[in-house]
Amino acid sequence: MTVDAWIAEPVNWVFSIVAVVILFTAVRVVTSPNVVHAALYLVAALAGSAVMFLLLSAEFVALVLVLVYIGAVLVLFLFGIMITRAPTGFDEGLSNDRKLVSAAISLVLLGVLSWASLSAFGTDTVNTVGSPTATEILGDAILGRFVIPFEVVSFILLSALIGGITVARRDLTPLEEEERKAV
Amino acid sequence: MVSSYVLAAEEGVAGLVEGGFWADTAGIMLITPFIAFLAIIALGKRMKYEGGEFAVASMAVNLVWATALFIQNMTEGGSSEVTFPIGGIGSGLQFELGWMVDGLSIMMYFLVSFVGLLVFIYAVGYMHGDIRVTWFFAAFSLFAGSMLLLVGAPNLVQLIIGWEGVGLASYLLIGHYWEDQENVNAGNKAFLVNKVADVGLVLGAIIVAMAVGDFGFVELSEASFAQDPTLSAVAVVGGLLLFLGAMGKSAQFPFHIWLPDAMAGPTPVSALMHAATMVTAGIYLMARTFPLYQNLASEIRPWMIAVGAITLFVIGLLALVADDLKQVLAYSTVSQLGYMMTAVAAGGYTAGLFHLFTHAFFKGLLFLGAGSVIHAVHSNNMSDMGGLRKYMPRTYTTFVIASLSLAGIIPLAGFWSKDEILATLDHEGYMVVFWIAVAGAFVTALYMTRAVALTFHGTYRGEGHPHESPLSMTGPLIALAVPSALVGFLNVPGVEIPGIGNFTEWLAVRVIPMGDNHPEGIAWNLAIIGLIAAGAGIVLGWALFARDAETQVARDRLEVPRLYPLFRRKYYMDDLALGIVDATRGPLARMIDWTNTYVIDGVVNATGGMGLALGRFVYGGLDQRGVDGVFNGLSVLIDGLGSGMRRLQTGRVQQYATAFVSGALVLVIVLMVLR
Amino acid sequence: MPYDVGSLMLLNQFLVLGAALFSIGVYGLLVRRNAVLVLLSVELMLNAVNINLIAFESALVTNAAVGQVFSIFVITVAAAEVGFGLAIILMIFRNRRSANVDELDLMRW
């Protein structure tokens, strides 16, 4: 496939634009000097990923991503930021002083990963047929072939829930205990 | 052993039949408590009894239906099932909600409604003037409703919904007085212990349902009778997991730890929880899925019997030392649940269920009686009671009837059901378990005599002037005392009641007739053994605990000096983790000490000796300064190396991560180049 | 209207995007001092994995949508991880008045 043919496909324009948005926002997530902004950039990056899932005709996963991540997890993150009273203004001290080393490592990692996939898959194309994957197939797979892993995952979620509550709950100080009894 | 499948073929009444009006509308029983729940929340605060009216009304409606079904089904027989499809996964598994009408579920409908109604009426009097009464009745309705949903379930999915609802409601009710941290902990403990076991239930249900291809109990029974190859491949694993779930809910050893703590809730909660709802759910599940264990997973049955036997005897002993009256009863429940589990696992499906049936009446009565006493003396502890028979004659009489029934004295209800279990164990040849069960009967009689003696005889040790409870509390006591005494006659072995037949034979008729392993006719020799054990327990208990009141409490502690601490600490089950730590700490310390003394010291001494010899040689043989130079150089080198290496251990996660990622990268690159 | 999406989309364009996201996530993991931000970077990495899973799914077309199923599992586990991770961070913050990972060096020599 030639470069011209690739460019001639409008879907690839969408891909390119969204990919640029994702990469830009992802970079901002890890470089932004403002904690709240970083979390909000993550929203944008994840929304971009959801668009990618749609391009790959995985609409159910895309919606799950929007609902679970953007709807719930990010709110949790913002709560976490507020509760730990991280400086919500600009703060240059959010990153440590090993930026160059880390950037070099990341670039090498990117090079290795890209080279690996480029050399392995060449010009393979993705075979999305026009209609999106039926949610029925996904439901069948989750509650049929993968029902045991599904249950295991749900128990992981439950134990994380209980564990989270156990870890995060605060025992009252003796003083507060007194106050509570008095009431 | 008679194969159940052969029995089913002989009787030739397999399959569902038309249920008639009462059976077709039985679903009302599953809904009214939830309607009551909503009504109490919406309107409860404005009502005279703060919402108790709705709870009582819903149970009264249910009792009408349950009684009608009971009578109709016992005379006419037949099983029916009404289901509504809710959804499904593809073309395979279907979810349905609905209700079963057969002997087993009718018995449970009747128990929950009957005991529930009396307990609710009692609770109106008991909770009067308490805090959060409205909320209490809302949660209480939820409790009964979830249990009805559970016992009416025609499939595993609905059973699990009801099962979890029961767990949730019990959590809310146990922690009703949440101002005290202890009660909150008790609720958490009950919930978490049950959750561990629920993992087994859910996984077991999925495994079994995947093998059968349907969640329904009828389909499960059919597949079990037909020895379905897909099901038999997973029967042991699935059965074991389901049993795990039942162990948690029915407080079988070692999951029994939550039940005594569950006493933290108000007493009516304990009464309902121990009599009809919650703890009977596990036995019910085992009975419901009985064909699976009978026909396919018979390998696990010895284990189930062992768990039941341990529970019935070992936990029963704990009731001998508890001072809290409700705790005595709680341990007694655990012990009786052990009886039921043992009987069901031994194949005496109906014997276990019949004991569940009679037990519900007298255990409900015992708890309500205990509540009446606690209401009067404002203490749970028997050391604050004594001599109450003079002040509370009605409570006393009914309590004694229930105690005798629990101890298994002829002709009260408990005698007939316990005898049935003993006969089953004898018939199936589990002689060791049989004698454990007899010993359990002795212990049961002993602790119940102790409880009665310490509570009602002797002289009053508490403060204030106790008085008999109001009619709304003593009324249910009397209403429960009648079935506690008489309900055993429903099932006198070998005797058929005209027009009705035999209770256990009725129970055994399900969509597929269950068949059963118990002998025909009454086994007088076994009954006499049981009676002797119970009688001995009562006599011994009377001799030990019913004499002068002054020394009662003191002697209570001295009689079993060796065992007392063991029982008192509940076999150290709660201290088990601590115990393991303690047990390993000593040997570990000694081992390290030994290593230190002999190995390391030896090495050091040997090195020292060699060094000494070397030093002498060097001193004698080499120039001191040259050697010094070499040694100093070496030490500086090692020192530098050490300080350098030490810097690597910064304790900072991100530096480790950096090293980790770059190391992995280097490895990948090396591998790629080599390829 | 059957619109033939993606017959001209390369598998590699998604894989490289995923690789880039993953590398950015690694960078964040290595340089961010605030523990919440470290968790954010981990989320980026998990998301990169999801993109890879979905891309492979549509390249290989398994009949049970295995790739999508696993990406849902990844999302679930990530949600559990965030919940528990934030609980730990909260606990650390309470005890140390700081959520900076490079001040947590009690485990050093």
Side-chain angles (χ1 to χ4, degrees):
Chain A
M1 182 174 53
T2 62
V3 175
D4 287 345
W6 193 84
I7 293 173
E9 184 63 41
V11 175
N12 287 326
W13 304 356
V14 179
F15 172 86
S16 310
I17 293 165
V18 177
V20 168
V21 170
I22 291 178
L23 290 178
F24 171 74
T25 50
V27 168
R28 290 303 289 160
V29 170
V30 297
T31 54
S32 165
N34 183 321
V35 187
V36 178
H37 287 185
L40 294 178
Y41 276 121
L42 185 64
V43 173
L46 291 173
S49 306
V51 175
M52 288 296 168
F53 291 174
L54 285 178
L55 288 182
L56 289 165
S57 76
E59 32 104 56
F60 183 75
V61 186
L63 285 176
V64 167
L65 191 80
V66 171
L67 287 177
V68 174
Y69 259 100
I70 303 175
V73 171
L74 254 299
V75 175
L76 201 60
F77 265 117
L78 289 174
F79 268 121
I81 292 167
M82 309 287 171
I83 290 173
T84 56
R85 282 173 235 156
T88 39
F90 287 84
D91 181 1
E92 292 303 330
L94 279 178
S95 300
N96 60 26
D97 49 4
R98 285 189 306 281
K99 290 196 190 75
L100 274 182
V101 181
S102 307
I105 289 177
S106 303
L107 283 177
V108 176
L109 182 67
L110 173 60
V112 168
L113 288 177
S114 313
W115 183 79
S117 56
L118 286 173
S119 62
F121 297 104
T123 54
D124 290 2
T125 52
V126 289
N127 301 316
T128 42
V129 282
S131 61
T133 312
T135 308
E136 188 186 349
I137 297 175
L138 206 57
D140 261 338
I142 289 180
L143 290 163
R145 186 170 159 196
F146 294 106
V147 67
I148 303 280
F150 174 69
E151 283 301 322
V152 171
V153 161
S154 62
F155 281 120
I156 289 176
L157 208 51
L158 178 71
S159 50
L161 183 81
I162 295 172
I165 293 169
T166 319
V167 169
R169 65 174 292 181
R170 188 168 57 105
D171 291 328
L172 295 180
T173 60
L175 191 68
E176 284 167 324
E177 195 85 57
E178 287 298 313
E179 281 170 6
R180 201 173 142 181
K181 276 200 181 127
V183 176
Chain B
M1 190 204 309
V2 187
S3 154
S4 306
Y5 188 56
V6 175
L7 265 177
E10 279 168 5
E11 294 181 16
V13 271
L16 297 164
V17 297
E18 281 296 313
F21 172 73
W22 296 104
D24 288 345
T25 53
I28 286 175
M29 289 191 292
L30 276 56
I31 298 170
T32 49
F34 293 101
I35 296 174
F37 170 74
L38 295 177
I40 293 168
I41 286 182
L43 307 168
K45 289 222 191 269
R46 294 183 209 155
M47 308 293 285
K48 186 176 171 227
Y49 294 107
E50 303 185 61
E53 297 94 335
F54 293 113
V56 170
S58 74
M59 279 297 127
V61 171
N62 282 3
L63 186 59
V64 170
W65 249 269
T67 314
L69 271 178
F70 203 14
I71 294 169
Q72 185 215 23
N73 202 277
M74 272 202 93
T75 48
E76 294 171 18
S79 304
S80 62
E81 180 183 294
V82 179
T83 54
F84 302 99
I86 298 298
I89 311 168
S91 54
L93 294 169
Q94 297 295 319
F95 295 140
E96 288 171 338
L97 295 181
W99 57 88
M100 295 277 277
V101 178
D102 62 3
L104 178 55
S105 39
I106 291 172
M107 183 188 92
M108 296 303 295
Y109 291 145
F110 182 74
L111 274 187
V112 177
S113 309
F114 184 77
V115 180
L117 176 63
L118 293 176
V119 170
F120 280 19
I121 293 173
Y122 178 94
V124 171
Y126 184 91
M127 296 301 288
H128 184 71
D130 211 319
I131 47 169
R132 291 189 292 276
V133 179
T134 309
W135 174 238
F136 170 82
F137 277 113
F140 218 16
S141 292
L142 195 64
F143 196 32
S146 305
M147 189 65 188
L148 286 165
L149 204 61
L150 192 166
V151 298
N155 55 49
L156 282 160
V157 175
Q158 190 182 334
L159 181 123
I160 290 171
I161 295 173
W163 188 280
E164 297 298 339
V166 168
L168 167 68
S170 69
Y171 168 76
L172 296 174
L173 290 166
I174 293 169
H176 183 66
Y177 301 119
W178 46 255
E179 283 84 357
D180 275 341
Q181 184 66 35
E182 260 181 51
N183 301 340
V184 176
N185 289 346
N188 286 343
K189 190 173 176 184
F191 196 72
L192 290 179
V193 170
N194 269 304
K195 266 286 153 282
V196 173
D198 288 353
V199 176
L201 174 71
V202 173
L203 289 181
I206 289 170
I207 288 173
V208 170
M210 296 285 280
V212 178
D214 200 296
F215 285 106
F217 289 121
V218 176
E219 286 78 3
L220 174 61
S221 303
E222 277 167 357
S224 303
F225 280 122
Q227 310 267 347
D228 182 83
T230 339
L231 182 58
S232 56
V234 296
V236 171
V237 179
L240 210 54
L241 287 168
L242 288 177
F243 178 55
L244 185 70
M247 277 168 78
K249 240 347 161 238
S250 283
Q252 298 293 299
F253 183 87
F255 287 104
H256 67 273
I257 48 175
W258 67 269
L259 192 54
D261 287 21
M263 293 300 99
T267 304
V269 175
S270 315
L272 195 55
M273 183 187 286
H274 285 254
T277 59
M278 188 92 181
V279 295
T280 53
I283 309 291
Y284 173 83
L285 174 66
M286 290 295 99
R288 213 14 119 193
T289 53
F290 183 69
L292 178 70
Y293 297 93
Q294 183 83 331
N295 295 286
L296 293 178
S298 48
E299 295 94 328
I300 1 178
R301 284 169 52 196
W303 296 99
M304 295 162 66
I305 294 175
V307 167
I310 291 174
T311 310
L312 85 86
F313 185 70
V314 173
I315 307 304
L317 287 177
L318 293 180
L320 284 173
V321 296
D323 187 35
D324 185 329
L325 179 56
K326 281 168 76 181
Q327 241 174 32
V328 173
L329 299 178
Y331 285 126
S332 147
T333 305
V334 178
S335 164
Q336 300 305 313
L337 288 167
Y339 271 104
M340 298 171 205
M341 187 60 85
T342 312
V344 171
Y349 160 78
T350 56
L353 287 177
F354 186 50
H355 196 54
L356 191 160
F357 186 66
T358 57
H359 176 259
F361 295 110
F362 53 70
K363 187 51 63 68
L365 173 51
L366 284 172
F367 267 105
L368 295 186
S372 172
V373 169
I374 290 164
H375 199 67
V377 304
H378 302 293
S379 165
N380 282 7
N381 295 332
M382 293 191 291
S383 45
D384 297 332
M385 299 171 184
L388 291 173
R389 73 179 186 282
K390 289 194 288 286
Y391 307 103
M392 314 178 73
R394 272 180 241 142
T395 307
Y396 172 66
T397 317
T398 51
F399 199 89
V400 166
I401 290 174
S403 303
L404 289 177
S405 190
L406 171 57
I409 297 300
I410 194 167
L412 301 173
F415 164 76
W416 300 105
S417 56
K418 204 171 278 184
D419 181 55
E420 191 90 336
I421 291 177
L422 292 179
T424 302
L425 292 174
D426 176 62
H427 182 257
E428 292 295 301
Y430 294 107
M431 287 321 286
V432 178
V433 183
F434 173 80
W435 287 110
I436 292 176
V438 171
F442 168 75
V443 175
T444 307
L446 186 57
Y447 62 67
M448 280 325 295
T449 314
R450 170 174 174 269
V452 171
L454 290 183
T455 309
F456 292 103
H457 291 266
T459 50
Y460 184 53
R461 295 181 289 273
E463 289 166 11
H465 295 284
H467 51 84
E468 183 62 282
S469 305
L471 186 66
S472 74
M473 287 166 72
T474 52
L477 293 182
I478 295 162
L480 274 171
V482 176
S484 297
L486 299 180
V487 84
F489 290 114
L490 273 179
N491 187 43
V492 179
V495 177
E496 298 235 340
I497 303 169
I500 293 178
N502 191 296
F503 185 75
T504 52
E505 274 169 25
W506 168 69
L507 262 188
V509 178
R510 298 224 315 233
V511 171
I512 295 173
M514 289 304 305
D516 193 14
N517 304 322
H518 74 83
E520 293 292 320
I522 188 162
W524 280 111
N525 53 340
L526 302 177
I528 287 168
I529 293 176
L531 275 177
I532 289 175
I538 293 178
V539 170
L540 181 64
W542 195 257
L544 284 177
F545 300 112
R547 285 178 299 180
D548 58 321
E550 294 307 314
T551 56
Q552 260 177 7
V553 177
R555 203 175 48 246
D556 193 15
R557 264 127 226 231
L558 294 173
E559 291 298 341
V560 275
R562 285 283 173 77
L563 292 176
Y564 184 76
L566 180 67
F567 294 154
R568 194 72 199 151
R569 300 296 297 272
K570 306 166 192 167
Y571 300 115
Y572 302 95
M573 287 295 288
D574 291 345
D575 305 287
L576 193 63
L578 210 60
I580 290 170
V581 171
D582 277 349
T584 46
R585 201 172 52 190
L588 203 66
R590 275 196 292 282
M591 202 174 79
I592 292 167
D593 182 49
W594 186 87
T595 319
N596 206 4
T597 315
Y598 296 100
V599 180
I600 297 182
D601 279 10
V603 171
V604 170
N605 285 343
T607 320
M610 273 162 61
L612 198 68
L614 203 69
R616 283 190 184 132
F617 166 75
V618 168
Y619 190 76
L622 289 170
D623 181 19
Q624 224 174 329
R625 262 203 242 154
V627 175
D628 273 6
V630 172
F631 279 141
N632 285 344
L634 264 179
S635 66
V636 167
L637 185 70
I638 290 171
D639 188 42
L641 210 63
S643 332
M645 300 283 271
R646 195 174 65 168
R647 297 241 168 82
L648 286 178
Q649 303 295 321
T650 54
R652 302 213 173 140
V653 181
Q654 284 172 319
Q655 292 182 8
Y656 295 168
T658 312
F660 168 72
V661 173
S662 31
L665 265 179
V666 169
L667 268 182
V668 170
I669 292 171
V670 166
L671 283 176
M672 280 159 78
V673 169
L674 284 184
R675 197 171 65 103
Chain C
M1 183 186 74
Y3 173 58
D4 191 14
V5 184
S7 59
L8 280 170
M9 288 199 289
L10 291 170
L11 172 59
N12 266 325
Q13 69 197 54
F14 291 99
L15 296 187
V16 172
L17 175 68
L21 264 183
F22 192 84
S23 306
I24 293 170
V26 167
Y27 173 80
L29 184 76
L30 296 183
V31 301
R32 287 305 215 176
R33 293 177 70 222
N34 188 308
V36 178
L37 290 175
V38 173
L39 269 187
L40 283 183
S41 309
V42 173
E43 297 308 316
L44 272 184
M45 290 160 71
L46 286 169
N47 198 47
V49 172
N50 276 345
I51 289 182
N52 266 28
L53 278 173
I54 303 250
F56 277 121
E57 163 63 34
S58 34
L60 303 174
V61 190
T62 57
N63 55 2
V66 179
Q68 297 191 21
V69 172
F70 271 85
S71 64
I72 286 178
F73 287 165
V74 169
I75 290 174
T76 319
V77 172
E81 170 239 315
V82 169
F84 197 66
L86 281 176
I88 293 175
I89 292 171
L90 196 60
M91 198 68 194
I92 291 171
F93 180 78
R94 264 197 216 120
N95 287 331
R96 318 221 9 163
R97 291 284 124 196
S98 153
N100 282 352
V101 281
D102 53 1
E103 287 165 28
L104 301 175
D105 51 3
L106 279 177
M107 299 280 275
R108 72 179 186 276
W109 39 272

